[in-house]
Amino acid sequence: MSAAAALPGEPKVDLAAARAHGLTGAEFAAIERILGRVPTFTELGVFSVMWSEHCSYKSSRKHLKTLPREGANVVVGPGENAGAIDVGDGWVAVFKIESHNHPSYVEPYQGAATGVGGILRDIFTMGARPIASMDSLKFGAIDHPRTRYLVNGVVGGIGGYGNCVGVPTVAGEVMFDPGYNGNILVNAFSLGLARREDLQSARARGVGNPVLYVGSATGRDGIHGASLLASAEFDAESEAKRPTVQVGDPFTEKLLIEACLEAIKTGAIAAIQDMGAAGLTSSSSEMAGRGGLGVELDLDRVPLREPNLSPYEILLSESQERMLIVAEHGREAELAAVFEKWDLHAVVIGAITGDGRWRARFRGGVVADIPVAALSDAAPLYDRPAAPPGRAPIETRPAAAVARPEPAAAMRALIASPNVASRRMVFRQYDSLVLSNTVAGPGGDAAVLRIKGSRRGLALKVDSNPRACALDPYLGAIATVCEAARNVACVGARPAAITNCLNYGNPERPEIMWQFVRGVAGLGDSARAFNTPVISGNVSFYNETEGRAIPPTPTIAVVGTFADVSLNIKHCFSLPGDLVVLVRTAPPSLAASEYADLFRVAGGALAPIDLVRERRLLDGLVECAQRRLLRSAHDVSEGGMAVALAEACFDSDRGLGAEIEPVATDGDAEAWFGEGASSVIVSAPAENLKAIRDIFAPLEVRPVGRVAAAARLKLGRWFDEDVATLRRLYEEALPGRLGRHD
Amino acid sequence: MKWGVVRFPGSLDDGDALWALRDVLGQEAAPLWHKEESLGGAECVVLPGGFSYGDYLRCGAIARFSPIMKSVARFAADGGLVLGICNGFQILCEAHLLPGALTRNRSLAFVCDFVDLRVENPSTPFTRAAHRGETLRLPIKHGEGCYVAPEDELRQLEERGQILLRYVDERGEATDAANPNGSMRSIAGVANDRFNVFGLMPHPEHAVEAALGGVAGRKIFESIAGAAR
């Protein structure tokens, strides 16, 4: 039986208080059973955050366990702050993606900024120097009254934080869809590099080892960010939750990166974890839980930004730029000296114990005394009912009655559509160059990074396909993995591992749970087929506003590796006379396409995806790159083959065009604008065609035209336009709709 | 030649400058810690890009008071070569080692892009490897790179040849459209009147390798290395 006493003046703890904290009646009863008494108010707060969906994964854990996590290259799988893979020459790449959806909708600048800060800490807490970031952003319709404000805030926040902390933002995606009008998505990815022997763990060890608090002081910001904001749907009062959003300080984060990496070099760190969601509570209980140990904290020693914080506030604060370190006994002064050099706090606030309890002291008394296991492994686990919706959501919009547009007009409209047009106005606001590793930055199929002092390199891309997932959450998830992997293979890298952010609505609704379960199944099947283990990730539920859920949106980031990064391939045509070749696994269709959405025509159902053929395509692209057979490769995505061909002409330095044969009839929208199947446009010298065919067999490999010295794009007999004119449409569309930055 | 690269808290491109100088260009270069006063025998001091002290008050406003800056000011007064890149340029202006000031970009947004720059005066230690009117393609990445100075000052800078680099278009013209931040007279880089202190917003250290953004930045470093010899 534990003993913890209520503080004078604390609110009464009962079922109503528990419900106000987001706990159910059954969960409150379980807490009373675990403690053998009514929890103190502080304990109630601690349970509410640790048992929140956001921290406990109580609805998703059962399903996430089915994902493939093993692989020859996996160094650290799920369970630590981020996963890690071996990338050769003694280097490991540490990466993860995480959502910051709710905070970014409520307070876009700080929400997005702290999303970047949080994911960076997950990386350097592993002992890796963050070297690249990406972001997947989903906004509502481009003409929705709130969209411009949200785009400016989110992009400003990502840039404001990422640029100031000195980690380049090298790739990403931006999509506009009315399905996100009331709930945007901000998924932030970061990747770091470490020497294998420098990898750190968040598993506490050593009874008696001191617990060090480092970084910024604790304030009242972000209290209940995880439980009340991230683990509930939006309603009319969500605006009032703005104070639950944290405020970022990238300057301190930069100091923290340098200080932590320097501190790690001393060898005096036994375990380290950032104070993210649920702050001091989660970092201390999770580290102790992983090590099967206990921890005792003295809250009077926690550096505070303002006086008179209650223990409840200290434990639940989500103030940013803070880390918790378990030091090797007797070496805390050595660590403190490193942090002092960087003008940061480093204070011993507790110690690791052997009794398996999570205990917090405040002004001489014990304010919380909980079995560590109850906060981690023994947290609730739900097997929520999942059932498909009554009616298949194949066509939700007025179908077919609208006449298909004339193809040349369709092409011009697609090139300027918000989901196709150039993202330059967004990525120009991000430093993509700092650290001098960026071989190919934003705007290509995938970012390419070199590893200094090595021939090796990395490719990274993040993708999602909510339209396909809305039609079929299983096939949509597979299509998303295929696209991200294909983008990585297009630049010549071998897809190596996956991190994912699974964004869905309220899991307490069976049809949402069904979307989630099917999405996880699709992710698992494709990850197994491509031998790309899922090494880290995050689940974001409750993406709903007033009962309307977002489209199911599994966001997939794929990291690929190069044995020789100098073999990377660009997406633009590079030499007149080269053959333009279409390589694809299956014929395209208008299902879930930009064309169908833009022109309100029926796209039909998704076709099944043959993962063996998809794997062939990926392997073939990598082999072609290694044998230097290609001069360009570009994935066919939104807007189909016609748009991909135009994009391959948009290299400002070369000013080339292309002449494409009438491979399909002029009005054949499926062929020219269809998506769905995996298609790639490559260019190569004509003499390489046979080798390319052999590599991709049995896939369709079809020469469709030539790269031209004149900067015009000719498609069959139906389209003939100046590349500069097309480029203007492509470049000016987003600034025209969202406000100009020049 | 011996280079020193100052490391302020919040410096970001210090590692890039060291990489460019040591690993790419084969120079002798060492970091200089902001709390120290020694310049370690450097013949050229580089103030790198970044957000020193978070740039929370005004870009460069706090960095100028750090111990190392006392030494840099003395070094400059003695004729030593000082190169300020981006935030380093902002610090040099705040420290009055260079004329003018850098304010928020006209767009009010951060901008990261490659720009063309015209070499206006090749008779300086920082530009002597280039020729007059030569175009250099370098990246910029800043939110506060709009160069401003009083009209008299601008006229003087012009007359004395202190404007070393201007933003230009692909034809080499300093047009308004080619000006990425609204700088007065399209100024991208200026020197002091003794031509031993030079600040520029573009990042030459990010353009020294063909595979990563071209080699135009070498011209600046090679000029300095040649000048010191």
Side-chain angles (χ1 to χ4, degrees):
Chain A
M1 174 97 172
S2 61
L7 292 168
E10 263 188 345
K12 184 169 166 348
V13 175
D14 54 17
L15 183 56
R19 289 223 168 99
H21 275 74
L23 292 162
T24 66
E27 287 169 348
F28 184 60
I31 293 168
E32 289 185 310
R33 204 163 47 243
I34 288 167
L35 296 177
R37 59 175 167 78
V38 175
T40 64
F41 186 68
T42 304
E43 288 169 334
L44 180 68
V46 165
F47 273 106
S48 78
V49 290
M50 293 309 293
W51 285 13
S52 69
E53 188 64 56
H54 187 80
C55 289
S56 73
Y57 291 80
K58 57 191 172 190
S59 304
S60 59
R61 262 191 291 164
K62 170 178 183 274
H63 304 283
L64 297 177
K65 281 185 183 147
T66 65
L67 293 172
R69 301 156 170 221
E70 312 283 315
N73 58 350
V74 176
V75 178
V76 178
E80 286 278 353
N81 283 293
I85 58 167
D86 189 333
V87 295
D89 294 340
W91 290 104
V92 293
V94 177
F95 56 91
K96 186 179 179 183
I97 188 166
E98 213 168 58
S99 61
H100 231 222
N101 304 337
H102 289 80
S104 301
Y105 185 73
V106 174
E107 165 47 51
Y109 186 97
Q110 291 298 344
T114 54
V116 173
I119 193 67
L120 288 170
R121 284 192 297 282
D122 278 337
I123 303 308
F124 69 79
T125 192
M126 297 288 295
R129 174 174 288 281
I131 62 160
S133 293
M134 302 193 282
D135 307 280
S136 168
L137 310 179
K138 299 281 181 299
F139 296 103
I142 198 158
D143 47 9
H144 185 274
R146 205 172 153 85
T147 297
R148 185 190 280 212
Y149 158 76
L150 289 169
V151 171
N152 284 337
V154 167
V155 172
I158 290 170
Y161 204 100
N163 297 342
C164 187
V165 82
V167 178
T169 301
V170 297
E173 60 160 358
V174 183
M175 185 183 179
F176 301 91
D177 189 282
Y180 303 100
N181 279 353
N183 193 128
I184 64 170
L185 300 184
V186 174
N187 294 176
F189 167 102
S190 185
L191 177 143
L193 269 186
R195 299 302 296 170
R196 191 172 178 143
E197 62 274 16
D198 290 337
L199 273 184
Q200 298 296 302
S201 168
R203 179 183 301 272
R205 59 181 162 77
V207 172
N209 273 345
V211 174
L212 256 78
Y213 171 115
V214 304
S216 290
T218 296
R220 289 196 166 93
D221 53 331
I223 291 173
H224 279 300
S227 53
L228 295 190
L229 190 55
S231 301
E233 342 177 340
F234 278 138
D235 54 33
E237 282 158 26
S238 295
E239 195 75 15
K241 292 178 180 168
R242 272 180 85 168
T244 61
V245 178
Q246 315 86 333
V247 177
D249 173 5
F251 171 60
T252 299
E253 179 103 335
K254 167 68 178 168
L255 302 184
L256 206 50
I257 293 176
E258 298 304 329
C260 285
L261 293 177
E262 201 171 311
I264 284 163
K265 293 279 180 204
T266 64
I269 292 181
I272 176 168
Q273 179 163 338
D274 79 295
M275 293 191 222
L280 184 53
T281 294
S282 65
S283 53
S284 58
S285 63
E286 286 173 10
M287 280 203 288
R290 290 191 194 96
L293 295 166
V295 62
E296 184 160 315
L297 302 173
D298 182 354
L299 302 183
D300 296 310
R301 297 201 203 166
V302 172
L304 300 181
R305 213 181 287 160
E306 54 196 310
N308 299 323
L309 262 69
S310 70
Y312 179 101
E313 290 169 319
I314 293 170
L315 286 166
L316 268 52
S317 165
E318 291 185 12
S319 288
Q320 298 287 289
E321 293 90 24
R322 303 178 301 158
M323 309 285 285
L324 201 64
I325 292 174
V326 179
E328 299 288 359
H329 189 72
R331 298 188 66 183
E332 48 274 38
E334 214 176 312
L335 290 175
V338 173
F339 288 95
E340 267 155 34
K341 171 184 162 188
W342 292 96
D343 302 321
L344 292 170
H345 290 283
V347 184
V348 175
I349 61 159
I352 296 299
T353 64
D355 63 3
R357 311 279 310 174
W358 184 86
R359 200 175 292 113
R361 291 181 182 278
F362 184 69
R363 296 188 185 159
V366 173
V367 290
D369 188 349
I370 303 169
V372 166
L375 298 178
S376 50
D377 296 342
L381 179 62
Y382 295 134
D383 184 3
R384 295 195 188 276
R391 198 175 50 84
I394 294 298
E395 272 310 321
T396 51
R397 50 179 67 90
V402 187
R404 289 192 178 182
E406 184 268 320
M411 174 71 174
R412 290 192 183 86
L414 276 167
I415 271 266
S417 112
N419 290 326
V420 170
S422 170
R423 272 80 184 104
R424 180 178 301 271
M425 74 162 286
V426 172
F427 65 68
R428 243 168 77 102
Q429 298 183 53
Y430 305 147
D431 181 347
S432 56
L433 303 171
V434 66
L435 302 180
S436 300
N437 300 315
T438 311
V439 175
D445 282 27
V448 177
L449 303 173
R450 60 123 173 248
I451 298 175
K452 287 198 190 99
S454 160
R455 294 168 70 83
R456 295 179 187 274
L458 301 169
L460 22 143
K461 183 65 173 89
V462 60
D463 278 304
S464 57
N465 192 340
R467 285 185 192 141
C469 292
L471 289 182
D472 182 327
Y474 173 75
L475 286 175
I478 292 182
T480 308
V481 176
C482 287
E483 183 176 359
R486 194 162 65 243
N487 275 315
V488 162
C490 274
V491 301
R494 181 171 298 286
I498 289 174
T499 181
N500 67 99
C501 190
L502 305 174
N503 307 277
Y504 291 85
N506 180 348
E508 296 159 39
R509 288 165 49 197
E511 68 272 24
I512 300 290
M513 202 58 208
W514 172 80
Q515 291 175 343
F516 176 75
V517 172
R518 297 298 291 155
V520 171
L523 167 57
D525 285 349
S526 41
R528 271 183 291 273
F530 298 159
N531 193 23
T532 46
V534 180
I535 63 160
S536 58
N538 151 262
V539 178
S540 172
F541 280 130
Y542 298 97
N543 290 291
E544 310 206 346
T545 296
E546 291 170 355
R548 270 182 63 93
I550 58 158
T553 315
T555 303
I556 305 295
V558 170
V559 173
T561 54
F562 290 95
D564 181 351
V565 72
S566 73
L567 297 178
N568 81 88
I569 294 174
K570 304 279 192 280
H571 76 285
C572 284
F573 297 138
S574 68
L575 209 65
D578 277 352
L579 270 188
V580 177
V581 182
L582 174 66
V583 184
R584 67 188 181 192
T585 58
S589 92
L590 292 178
S593 68
E594 185 66 21
Y595 183 95
D597 187 77
L598 195 61
F599 304 118
R600 301 274 183 254
V601 301
L606 294 178
I609 297 172
D610 180 341
L611 284 168
V612 175
R613 288 171 73 83
E614 295 298 324
R615 175 73 190 261
R616 189 83 283 261
L617 179 67
L618 301 177
D619 289 346
L621 286 164
V622 177
E623 189 178 344
C624 284
Q626 286 171 347
R627 290 170 56 186
R628 300 173 194 266
L629 294 172
L630 306 181
R631 273 202 272 259
S632 74
H634 185 33
D635 170 44
V636 173
S637 59
E638 289 89 347
M641 176 170 75
V643 165
L645 286 162
E647 288 169 344
C649 297
F650 292 161
D651 182 327
S652 47
D653 292 338
R654 292 204 172 84
L656 299 177
E659 290 186 26
I660 306 302
E661 294 154 19
V663 290
T665 58
D666 294 357
D668 189 344
E670 279 78 5
W672 293 107
F673 305 118
E675 303 170 26
S678 295
S679 304
V680 173
I681 297 283
V682 303
S683 69
E687 62 266 27
N688 292 353
L689 182 61
K690 186 180 177 310
I692 294 169
R693 277 191 201 283
D694 291 346
I695 285 171
F696 285 108
L699 307 185
E700 181 183 357
V701 175
R702 181 174 180 188
V704 294
R706 296 263 182 186
V707 178
R712 292 192 77 77
L713 178 66
K714 297 183 187 173
L715 304 174
R717 284 173 302 268
W718 63 273
F719 194 77
D720 184 352
E721 182 62 274
D722 212 31
V723 167
T725 305
L726 280 174
R727 181 121 199 233
R728 244 190 328 273
L729 287 172
Y730 182 72
E731 293 293 346
E732 291 177 1
L734 276 198
R737 304 287 292 270
L738 290 171
R740 200 158 280 280
H741 280 302
D742 45 25
Chain B
M1 167 171 185
K2 208 166 174 185
W3 303 69
V5 177
V6 177
R7 230 182 161 190
F8 295 105
S11 289
L12 302 179
D13 301 272
D14 49 330
D16 302 279
L18 287 167
W19 168 264
L21 288 166
R22 280 197 301 224
D23 297 87
V24 181
L25 301 172
Q27 300 286 309
E28 191 183 342
L32 302 173
W33 185 238
H34 68 113
K35 290 180 185 171
E36 309 278 326
E37 287 191 21
S38 163
L39 300 179
E43 296 156 89
C44 176
V45 173
V46 178
L47 304 185
F51 290 73
S52 55
Y53 301 90
D55 280 348
Y56 285 149
L57 176 58
R58 223 174 32 247
C59 295
I62 301 178
R64 62 168 288 216
F65 294 109
S66 64
I68 194 93
M69 281 307 291
K70 288 197 195 83
S71 310
V72 172
R74 229 175 293 125
F75 179 72
D78 292 344
L81 295 175
V82 179
L83 174 67
I85 302 168
C86 197
N87 191 231
F89 185 12
Q90 294 161 343
I91 295 167
L92 290 172
C93 289
E94 283 287 339
H96 304 298
L97 292 173
L98 285 175
L102 293 146
T103 61
R104 280 194 81 182
N105 294 349
R106 181 170 51 180
S107 65
L108 305 181
F110 187 95
V111 58
C112 173
D113 212 340
F114 277 80
V115 294
D116 288 325
L117 300 148
R118 190 174 67 206
V119 177
E120 303 290 83
N121 179 359
S123 316
T124 79
F126 306 100
T127 48
R128 40 179 279 156
H131 53 80
R132 186 178 305 276
E134 181 175 347
T135 302
L136 306 179
R137 173 160 284 198
L138 299 178
I140 52 166
K141 46 192 194 78
H142 58 248
E144 307 197 10
C146 176
Y147 185 80
V148 296
E151 198 47 45
D152 306 358
E153 184 104 62
L154 289 170
R155 206 172 316 117
Q156 267 190 14
L157 292 177
E158 202 91 66
E159 283 164 11
R160 294 177 183 151
Q162 286 172 252
I163 301 168
L164 305 195
L165 295 174
R166 273 200 169 87
Y167 302 107
V168 294
D169 64 12
E170 64 275 17
R171 292 186 310 277
E173 305 288 334
T175 59
D176 188 58
N179 185 339
N181 49 31
S183 288
M184 288 181 170
R185 303 196 184 197
S186 292
I187 291 171
V190 295
N192 63 348
D193 55 7
R194 294 170 63 195
F195 294 98
N196 66 319
V197 178
F198 174 40
L200 74 170
M201 288 314 294
H203 288 263
E205 80 283 19
H206 283 289
V208 292
E209 295 176 85
L212 272 85
V215 295
R218 290 181 176 215
K219 284 270 164 85
I220 305 290
F221 298 113
E222 282 163 3
S223 295
I224 299 170
R229 210 166 286 137

